[in-house]
Amino acid sequence: MALKDMWIPTEFRAVFPKGVLLLGDIEAQTEYSEDRSAPKRQALDFDREGNGSGKRLWKATVMDRAGGKASQAGFDVTFVADQMPVPSEPEVMEGLRPIELEGLLLKPRVVGNGQFKSIGFYIRATGIKGDTSGGKQAPANVSAARARDEKAA
């Protein structure tokens, strides 16, 4: 059984009991290109074999409030969503705002080098609790807004 591409779904509070803080802003994740003059393209959720959701990838740096060492407190999160997640919580300090990740997925990986290797994780989420971007809202029902005697154009 190959576990190479396995993402493990988990509950946010099980991994981050004290929550996380968003450092700065969420940005579009761009694809790597060897041609420096090529325009930057936003990365999509596809692996090398073409499997994936096809949704856009967004990246953010977050800090675990329960993190012990400085090297373990900050990490990157990749959001897999059609629209950029927008946090609804106000900033507690300039550039810091508490968020709760939704649809949290973890993928184990080896970090470090030489004799100082350990297990780390790639972290993905589908959104932020209380997202105000409108990306989670159902499409408006246009026919419900029309009067009964009006007909579609």
Side-chain angles (χ1 to χ4, degrees), residues 70-87:
S71 63
Q72 297 172 345
F75 50 89
D76 292 331
V77 172
T78 300
F79 291 97
V80 182
D82 291 323
Q83 292 184 4
M84 181 176 70
V86 178

Side-chain angles (χ1 to χ4, degrees), residues 45-145:
D45 180 32
F46 289 118
D47 61 12
R48 290 183 179 121
E49 288 83 37
N51 300 321
S53 67
K55 293 185 178 187
R56 295 177 179 179
L57 298 180
W58 309 89
K59 64 180 177 180
T61 302
V62 298
M63 183 174 72
D64 184 2
R65 293 176 56 195
K69 298 178 184 176
S71 63
Q72 297 172 345
F75 50 89
D76 292 331
V77 172
T78 300
F79 291 97
V80 182
D82 291 323
Q83 292 184 4
M84 181 176 70
V86 178
S88 60
E89 294 292 323
E91 290 184 333
V92 293
M93 287 180 64
E94 187 175 342
L96 289 174
R97 82 178 61 225
I99 60 170
E100 185 171 332
L101 304 173
E102 292 184 335
L104 189 62
L105 298 170
L106 303 176
K107 182 178 179 181
R109 66 183 177 133
V110 176
V111 295
N113 54 31
Q115 63 183 3
F116 303 105
K117 292 183 181 176
S118 62
I119 296 176
F121 293 92
Y122 291 112
I123 301 172
R124 281 190 169 190
T126 57
I128 297 173
K129 186 174 184 180
D131 184 356
T132 59
S133 68
K136 294 182 185 177
Q137 296 175 352
N141 187 350
V142 178
S143 62

